[in-house]
Amino acid sequence: MNVLLLGSGGREHALAWKIAASPLLTRLYAAPGNPGIGAEAELVKLDTSDHAAVAAFCREKKIDLVVVGPEGPLVAGIADDLRAENIRVFGPSKAAARLEGSKGFTKDLCARYNIPTAAYGRFSDLASAKAYVEKMGAPIVIKADGLAAGKGVTVAMTLDDARTALDACFEGSFGAAGAEVVVEEFMTGEEASFFCLCDGTTALPFGTAQDHKRVGDGDVGPNTGGMGAYSPAPVMTPEMVERTMREIIEPTMRGMADLGAPFAGILFAGLMITENGPKLIEYNTRFGDPECQVLMMRLKDDLLVLLNAATDGQLAHMSVRWRDEAALTVVMAARGYPGTPEKGSVIRGVEDAAGDRVQIFHAGTAINGGALVANGGRVLNVTSTGGTVGEAQARAYAALDRIDWPDGFCRRDIGWQAVAREQASQQP
Ligand code: AMP
Ligand code: GLY
C-alpha cells in the first residue's frame, strides 16, 4: 500500500513510525511532516488546505490510503473532498468532525441522547453569557465554541476570572472560534483520555491515557496542548470502560448516524471520572497529542490493518491487542510555550538519547544549517515503556537528561498520579 500521512507533530511521527513497521506498506509519504517523520517517510511539500492539490498528489502517487492527523483539515472537510475523488481516507467527514469543531454541537447531542456531561449554556452575546455566569456562580468553565488549539478553555475559580474570560472571547482573542461561547458547570474528578476506532457503525475501544494539560509541575499554570502522557490510565478499569462505551460512546455513534453523519475515524473522549461515573468533557475527532505517542508504543497489532478495517466498515470483525506494559512520554517545549515560543535554538544529543525501549518523537523541529533546531512550541516527545508507569517514567527522564537543549523545558512530574497509585499499592 502507498500511504499519505497529513500532519507535522509528535502524533504524526508516532503514526509514521507505526505505519512504517507494517508489512502492508509499500511507500509512506508525509505532508508536511518534520525531520523525525523524514526518517520514516518521504516528505512532500503540499498545502493541506488545498484539497485539490492533495487529491492530485494522491492520483499521481497511487495513494491507497490518506491518514489525517490533525483536526484542522478534518473540520475543513478534507475527508469529504478526497472521497468525492474516490480516494480512501481514514478520518471523519466534515459533518462528523463537528463533534470536535463545535463544542455547542456536541453539548446539544449530549442533551438529546442523555449522554452524561456538564450542565451548560450556549451564548453568542456577552450580556447574556455574563448573566448566566452570575446566576451559576464560580467555579465555572468558559469555552470558545470553535477550534482554539486546546487553549480556548478557562476554568474560572472566581466570578472575576469568568468575566475576564468572557470579555476575552467576545473581544476576539480566539478569532471566529470565540464568537460563540459555551459556559459549563465545573466538574470534579480524575481526567482520562479514552479512544475508540470507529467505522461509522462500530466503535472499538482503542486505549486509554492520561494527559497533563497544565504547563507546570503539580498541574499549575496555563493549559497547553499537553505536556506529557502515559497509558494505560489506571482509572479506566474494565468496568469504567464498559460504562463509558454504553453511556457515552454508543449513544454518540447512534446519534451521529441518526443525524446522517456517521462517525468514522478516531473518536477521542476527554472524560471526567466523577463520583457518579464517567462524564464527557469534550470530544476530539483524531488521536490525542501526546496520547497517540504512548498508544503507538503499546499497540501490538498492525496499525495499517486496523486503519484499513475502519475505513472499509469492517471493525465488527476486529479486535485490538496491547503490550502488557506501560508507556510514558514527556514533552520538551521551547521556552515561552504556551505563549510565544522562541524558535531556532540548537538541540543536541537526540540520537544518543534514543535507545532500548525509548523513542524520541519529533514535533516542532527543523533542520537549519545541518543542525536540529526548535521550530514550534512542543518540540520533542521523549517516550518510553516499562513494566510499571514508574519504570517507564525513570527511563524517559534518564533519556531526556541526555538531550542537550538549554532553551527547552519540560515538566518533571509526568505520570505522578499513576506513580502515586503504584507506590500506595506496594505499601505493606
Ligand atoms: P477541553 O479543551 O474542553 O478538554 O478543556 C481543557 C481542560 O479544562 C480539561 O482537560 C479540563 O481539565 C478542564 N475542563 C474543561 N471542562 C471542564 C469542566 N466542565 N469542569 C472541570 N474542568 C473542565
Ligand atoms: N492532548 C490533548 C489533545 O490532543 O487534544
Side-chain angles (χ1 to χ4, degrees):
M1 286 178 72
N2 294 326
V3 176
L4 170 64
L5 172 68
L6 303 183
S8 62
R11 164 182 52 210
E12 287 78 19
H13 188 181
L15 291 172
W17 173 70
K18 197 67 190 157
I19 291 170
S22 170
L24 292 180
L25 186 74
T26 312
R27 284 196 90 129
L28 178 61
Y29 300 90
N34 66 35
I37 298 173
E40 310 285 356
E42 186 176 319
L43 302 187
V44 238
K45 283 203 178 66
L46 260 180
D47 174 3
T48 53
S49 67
D50 183 348
H51 300 176
V54 176
F57 177 84
C58 291
R59 280 191 299 270
E60 184 197 325
K61 299 292 184 187
K62 300 195 167 32
I63 297 296
D64 300 294
L65 183 68
V66 179
V67 179
V68 187
E71 62 277 19
L74 295 168
V75 171
I78 196 164
D80 311 67
D81 291 340
L82 295 179
R83 281 185 198 122
E85 308 253 351
N86 289 322
I87 297 162
R88 290 172 74 243
V89 189
F90 176 76
S93 67
K94 182 176 182 169
R98 279 179 298 173
L99 283 174
E100 173 159 7
S102 168
K103 293 188 189 290
F105 170 83
T106 298
K107 296 300 285 190
D108 289 352
L109 184 92
C110 289
R112 207 153 132 200
Y113 289 87
N114 263 322
I115 295 168
T117 185
Y120 73 106
R122 288 177 79 169
F123 303 97
S124 47
D125 74 279
L126 181 61
S128 41
K130 277 198 174 161
Y132 184 78
V133 162
E134 304 290 339
K135 190 179 92 193
M136 303 295 285
I140 194 154
V141 183
I142 313 292
K143 301 185 171 184
D145 181 77
L147 295 183
K151 293 166 202 155
V153 173
T154 305
V155 177
M157 297 316 286
T158 65
L159 276 177
D160 259 352
D161 290 350
R163 292 186 199 107
T164 308
L166 286 174
D167 286 337
C169 278
F170 287 107
E171 275 160 15
S173 292
F174 306 110
E180 188 178 319
V181 167
V182 171
V183 181
E184 275 188 13
E185 165 204 1
F186 174 75
M187 300 186 285
T188 48
E190 190 170 337
E191 282 184 53
S193 301
F194 181 68
F195 298 86
C196 285
L197 188 62
C198 305
D199 67 1
T201 313
T202 301
L204 197 61
F206 203 59
T208 65
Q210 252 158 348
D211 191 8
H212 300 64
K213 292 213 163 135
R214 303 298 188 105
V215 73
D217 283 13
D219 292 325
V220 298
N223 267 327
T224 68
M227 294 299 292
Y230 58 89
S231 173
V235 69
M236 293 306 288
T237 57
E239 298 73 43
M240 202 57 75
V241 168
E242 193 274 322
R243 275 191 75 174
T244 303
M245 290 304 289
R246 182 161 38 87
E247 297 174 18
I248 298 179
I249 304 295
E250 279 157 13
T252 299
M253 293 296 284
R254 280 197 301 277
M256 294 305 286
D258 290 349
L259 288 172
F263 188 88
I266 288 289
L267 186 58
F268 162 6
L271 300 176
M272 186 73 83
I273 307 304
T274 71
E275 279 173 8
N276 301 320
K279 289 193 178 185
L280 182 70
I281 300 174
E282 63 159 3
Y283 273 131
N284 298 302
T285 59
R286 46 157 177 94
F287 279 110
D289 187 345
E291 290 96 325
C292 182
Q293 290 81 315
V294 284
L295 293 182
M296 291 306 114
M297 293 293 272
R298 293 188 52 238
L299 180 63
K300 225 185 215 176
D301 288 308
D302 183 334
L303 179 64
L304 257 190
V305 169
L306 291 163
L307 299 183
N308 274 331
T311 306
D312 297 338
Q314 296 296 318
L315 283 181
H317 314 293
M318 303 293 289
S319 60
V320 186
R321 290 170 308 162
W322 301 95
R323 280 182 233 290
D324 188 18
E325 56 188 12
L328 181 139
T329 187
V330 182
V331 170
M332 296 183 85
R335 216 173 271 157
Y337 180 76
T340 310
E342 294 162 24
K343 289 188 179 178
S345 54
V346 174
I347 307 165
R348 293 187 184 85
V350 171
E351 253 120 70
D352 297 338
D356 183 35
R357 304 178 83 178
V358 177
Q359 295 290 331
I360 317 274
F361 296 119
H362 290 227
T365 62
I367 303 288
N368 191 353
L372 187 69
V373 299
N375 192 38
R378 295 188 293 172
V379 175
L380 293 170
N381 310 133
V382 183
T383 313
S384 67
T385 58
T388 60
V389 175
E391 193 190 316
Q393 183 195 53
R395 190 171 281 125
Y397 280 111
L400 184 145
D401 288 335
R402 289 200 289 275
I403 295 175
D404 173 17
W405 182 28
D407 296 292
F409 74 95
C410 67
R411 277 181 62 161
R412 299 294 320 187
D413 64 345
I414 300 303
W416 66 269
Q417 279 170 309
V419 172
R421 265 200 178 88
E422 287 169 0
Q423 284 167 351
S425 73
Q426 280 160 13
Q427 300 293 322

